[in-house]
Amino acid sequence: TKGQKMLMLIGRGGEGKSRIGLILNAMFHSAMNVGNIQKVETNRFARADLEHRLLMVDDDMDMSALPRTNYIKSIVTAEAKMDLERKGIQSYQGQLYVRFLCFGNGSLTSLYDHSDGFYRRQLILTTKERPADRKDAPFLVEKMLDELEGLHRLIANDYSFTVSNRSAENVELIRRSNNNILDFLQSEGYIRFKADAESSSKAIYESYKMWCEDNALHALAANRLSSELAQNEKKYNVEATNNIYLAGGKRVRGFIGIEVLVRPLF
């Protein structure tokens, strides 16, 4: 499989997400594994269980943040071999081609990886609300197994997923909910992007903290803000530099192309 995405199906429970797992199990049989995406990243034995599998289904995704995303990234991109380890057996190098499908009532988050790549590797689908008068079909799985149009379309499209506008909006919504820095950088009255301006990283962060206080939000770490700007220099038309000079001649780190409008009183 060439699809370099993790599929996240997010709902509130009772919508029938588990039916999809049964359908996939009927399609993949022994080529499918039921597991936990958190353990794939943190348990050194869990990755070996995915060898020779095409699909791993996490039907009850843990909502705690991933402590790291190194192994998941390597598995999704399938670009290099990795160490696989089984209990009582010497570790060895293996290639995993498994794809992830996760069901949950919330989004997959990471403690430290808030890069575009982390979100770009996710295909997020949301379920519709269950109508109060809906009658569940007892033979839904059998009916859906008769309709494999989606699989045929994926094969015909060279295993390239078609991402709908709604799915793209879901990714952006989840990303923003986990990173209020994005909203700060688009806010008015605290900073502005101006080609001939420059500001220290500290001044930008202090302005960000004031914005958080004014909006009753929790401020993220200073390096998160600087990292967001540095990773998106072209998007915001800024440039990271070590040559910002304060009054008195002290040289500090900062950014060219951004002006702080509201400065703390200290």
Side-chain angles (χ1 to χ4, degrees), residues 1-5 28 31 47 50-56 74-82 84 94-100:
T1 171
K2 301 294 184 182
Q4 295 187 357
K5 295 279 188 181
F28 286 91
R47 293 180 287 277
L50 302 179
E51 193 175 21
H52 311 305
R53 301 290 187 270
L54 296 178
L55 177 68
M56 191 206 84
S74 297
I75 294 172
V76 171
T77 56
E79 291 177 338
K81 292 183 177 182
M82 66 177 62
L84 301 179
Q95 186 97 39
L96 298 183
Y97 297 97
V98 67
R99 295 299 164 214
F100 299 120

Side-chain angles (χ1 to χ4, degrees), residues 15 57 69 75 83 104 108 119 122 129 157-158 205-206 215 233 266:
E15 306 95 334
V57 174
T69 59
I75 294 172
D83 276 330
L108 183 69
Y119 294 99
Q122 299 180 46
E129 258 188 72
N157 201 30
D158 196 24
Y205 184 66
E206 292 299 331
N215 290 278
E233 287 187 341
F266 59 72

